[in-house]
Amino acid sequence: MNSVKAFAPATVANVSCGFDIFGFAIQEPGDTVELTKRDEPGVVITEITGDEGRLPRQAEKNSVTVVMLALLKHLGIKDLGCEVVLRKNMPLGSGMGSSAASAVAGVVAMNELLGNPLSRKELLPFAMEGERIASGSAHADNVGPSLLGGFVVIRSYNPLDIFTIPVPDDLYCTLVHPDIEINTKDARFILRNEVSLKNTIAQMGNVAGLVAGLMKADYDLISRSMVDVIIEPVRSILIPEFKDVKQAAISNGALGCSISGAGPSMFALSRGIENAQNAGKAMQERFASAGIESAVHVSGINQGGAVILQ
């Protein structure tokens, strides 16, 4: 095998009440990575599209190649040479798992090029290193679902313990990206290091309720549990019109609405594609009324995660 092409999808992380422990993948958009072997040893980025020239071209500084270098080091491979082409199909700093999609597509492509020595789950720690480069934190709530598909729960980071839970077939996500940017590092910096016992208890109840609601296909319980009393009140101030956009989604059929990842993208969950589309239209119109353009993506939960295209 001399070349490989891999695709990794966008993701919604945190999912309202599950900061750093919940995430799910959608069908599209996503990033594509192409690897081609070369005679000289070393991993070299030859082209990046869709980033407006903002991402580093040095292999040791880019999420897409840091994961490859970590995998090669783990496997003791020193003489492999390959050229890397990264095609970005979502904005940077979007809250849609942009860096995660690059990292996952990169590590899946390299693993395929090497003959798949590791399983998908074994690739997760390497994909997380891409997040460390991008945001300063090796969190798994974006790379996990982009890599594995489905609705992912991270029970523990040390030791790493991750699993997926079933979701209703008729559950749809509306993901709306306003034309503004929030740096993930900045969005983490403003968070409080300590929270009150009262808020912790409320958040734990909502986390448990959301897991149970998804597994039982109890849409009312899902709706009641999509409440974040810890992260959303702090980060929402970074997103113009947040409260009105959220209310527009719920008033037009969504079960609930919150921030996707670090923002500024917002997501809603709905029962049925029609409700999801109506919520997206209402959210986009509310942003537009404030002079903010936005893009809308409506998708079921992507159960497969990253794929090899060729």
Side-chain angles (χ1 to χ4, degrees):
M1 187 180 299
N2 291 317
S3 63
V4 172
K5 186 177 182 180
F7 168 86
T11 46
V12 171
N14 303 335
V15 196
S16 190
C17 55
F19 178 68
D20 273 7
I21 62 169
F22 286 166
F24 63 84
I26 61 174
Q27 298 296 341
E28 55 183 27
D31 285 358
T32 301
V33 170
E34 303 168 21
L35 300 186
T36 304
K37 283 185 178 179
R38 65 175 198 156
D39 293 333
E40 291 183 45
V43 175
V44 178
I45 299 174
T46 56
E47 185 182 4
I48 302 178
T49 62
D51 72 325
E52 299 177 341
R54 297 170 56 191
L55 293 176
R57 267 52 180 173
Q58 302 97 320
E60 67 278 4
K61 295 183 179 181
N62 193 305
S63 293
V64 71
T65 40
V66 162
V67 297
M68 300 180 194
L69 296 174
L71 179 61
L72 291 172
K73 182 179 179 180
H74 171 77
L75 296 173
I77 298 173
K78 299 179 180 180
D79 57 351
L80 179 74
C82 73
E83 297 178 347
V84 181
V85 175
L86 169 61
R87 305 205 182 279
K88 297 291 301 176
N89 294 306
M90 65 182 93
L92 308 182
S94 62
M96 297 165 61
S98 177
S99 58
S102 296
V104 168
V107 77
V108 167
M110 180 59 76
N111 195 53
E112 180 77 12
L113 192 68
L114 298 173
N116 291 302
L118 299 186
S119 68
R120 282 293 176 94
K121 210 162 188 179
E122 289 172 331
L123 292 176
L124 183 58
F126 302 100
M128 290 169 64
E129 288 305 307
E131 290 288 65
R132 191 191 306 277
I133 286 290
S135 68
S137 172
H139 54 99
D141 49 348
N142 287 111
V143 291
S146 187
L147 179 66
L148 304 172
F151 192 105
V152 164
V153 178
I154 299 101
R155 189 203 65 80
S156 168
Y157 276 92
N158 187 22
L160 186 61
D161 188 358
I162 183 171
F163 59 92
T164 60
I165 61 172
V167 299
D169 292 338
D170 207 25
L171 186 71
Y172 282 82
C173 170
T174 305
L175 187 58
V176 180
H177 173 64
D179 190 20
I180 56 177
E181 182 178 334
I182 294 177
N183 183 282
T184 303
K185 290 182 180 179
D186 294 339
R188 281 187 173 269
F189 180 76
I190 65 171
L191 298 178
R192 304 183 184 98
N193 289 323
E194 296 181 357
V195 296
S196 69
L197 179 61
K198 178 183 177 181
N199 283 346
T200 301
I201 293 169
Q203 198 86 339
M204 289 169 64
N206 287 324
V207 165
L210 185 54
V211 170
L214 291 169
M215 295 183 71
K216 294 168 62 178
D218 185 334
Y219 290 97
D220 288 338
L221 181 55
I222 292 171
S223 180
R224 298 197 305 273
S225 302
M226 288 184 66
V227 179
D228 177 8
V229 299
I230 296 176
I231 306 300
E232 183 182 299
V234 180
R235 283 185 168 173
S236 61
I237 62 174
L238 300 175
I239 304 173
E241 308 299 315
F242 174 83
K243 290 183 179 180
D244 289 341
V245 173
K246 178 176 180 175
Q247 187 56 53
I250 295 171
S251 298
N252 284 271
L255 299 169
C257 176
S258 189
I259 305 168
S260 177
S265 292
M266 296 176 62
F267 83 98
L269 292 180
S270 300
R271 182 175 188 173
I273 191 169
E274 185 175 349
N275 283 329
Q277 291 170 337
N278 289 339
K281 182 181 179 182
M283 294 167 73
Q284 190 172 42
E285 287 177 350
R286 191 64 194 83
F287 273 126
S289 70
I292 302 172
E293 295 184 1
S294 61
V296 179
H297 307 278
V298 175
S299 168
I301 308 301
N302 181 336
Q303 297 293 344
V307 294
I308 298 297
L309 299 177
Q310 65 183 45

